[in-house]
Amino acid sequence: MARVGKTEKNGPGLLFIVVTLIVVAVVGARFFGFMPGDKEEEAPRPPVVKVEDPAPPQGEAVEEVPKVLVFHSHASENYKPKDSHERGGKGDVVAVGEAFVEELALLGIKAIHDQTIHDQPRYSEAFLNSEKKVSELLAANPTVQVVLDLHRDGLQDKPDDYTKARANGMDVAKILFVVGDKDNDLLEENLRFAQKVSDALEQQYPGVTRGVRVFKSDYSGELHPNSIMVLIGDWRGNTLEEAVASARLLARVLEPFVE
């Protein structure tokens, strides 16, 4: 008993100290990662997501193809105050065609505007020349859905306001749609299409259309079922500005007829 008491008096035994040092060493080694065979714990990683290449486009890119053909059998026609026809060059009616085509483009419709002068040097051969040219253009552009021969009228002994109208708060030229019945196997189709366009014009811009007429002439209507001669205004009765305004209105009316 005396030995035990002496040991407590003199402090912890040697064995206790050794055990304590071993425990401290083991804990420290584990804390600092020095224990043999242990691996450093890694933070969990997110699942790997496989990124594939974008899917290839389906089908081919849609090309911008012409849907409307515009030409002028009488490309030398003018409006007052100019002479009735431009000699040796393009008349005002070509500028009207340009405005029409520009408006179609704004509506997303591509058009061919043939500005060939067919009525010079021989005015009498104008429709023969334009028919040949239109045949070539249609053969080269089978996507064309509408064919328009743009003119202006040449009326006599009519009131000053006979071919004038008001639309969208401005003066515009009235529009006459004409179909030729000579040697025309597509007369009924031409007439049907002309009437639809005229009716649509009247509905959207009342008073601007002069209706549809049939002339006993060959106006190349047999080349396409949707072929019409369009007379925008009159030489004496309208200005170029009024004709241009009407051409833009016509383009808006025509949009639903082009797929």
Side-chain angles (χ1 to χ4, degrees), residues 2-14:
R3 183 171 298 188
V4 174
K6 185 177 180 180
T7 301
E8 291 178 355
K9 183 178 179 181
N10 292 335
L14 179 60

Side-chain angles (χ1 to χ4, degrees), residues 55-76:
Q58 301 297 316
E60 297 180 358
V62 179
E63 293 183 355
E64 187 181 12
V65 294
K67 300 296 182 65
V68 178
L69 170 59
V70 180
F71 68 103
H72 310 274
S73 292
H74 296 156
S76 66

Side-chain angles (χ1 to χ4, degrees), residues 98-120:
E98 289 178 345
F100 177 74
V101 170
E102 287 174 359
E103 193 69 21
L104 286 178
L106 293 176
L107 298 170
I109 300 172
K110 182 177 178 61
I112 299 171
H113 186 199
D114 178 57
Q115 302 184 22
T116 304
I117 302 175
H118 300 291
D119 55 343
Q120 294 181 10

Side-chain angles (χ1 to χ4, degrees), residues 228-244:
I228 320 173
M229 179 191 291
V230 182
L231 280 65
I232 302 181
D234 174 64
W235 171 46
R236 297 177 178 84
N238 299 102
T239 65
L240 173 59
E241 290 74 21
E242 291 169 350
V244 164

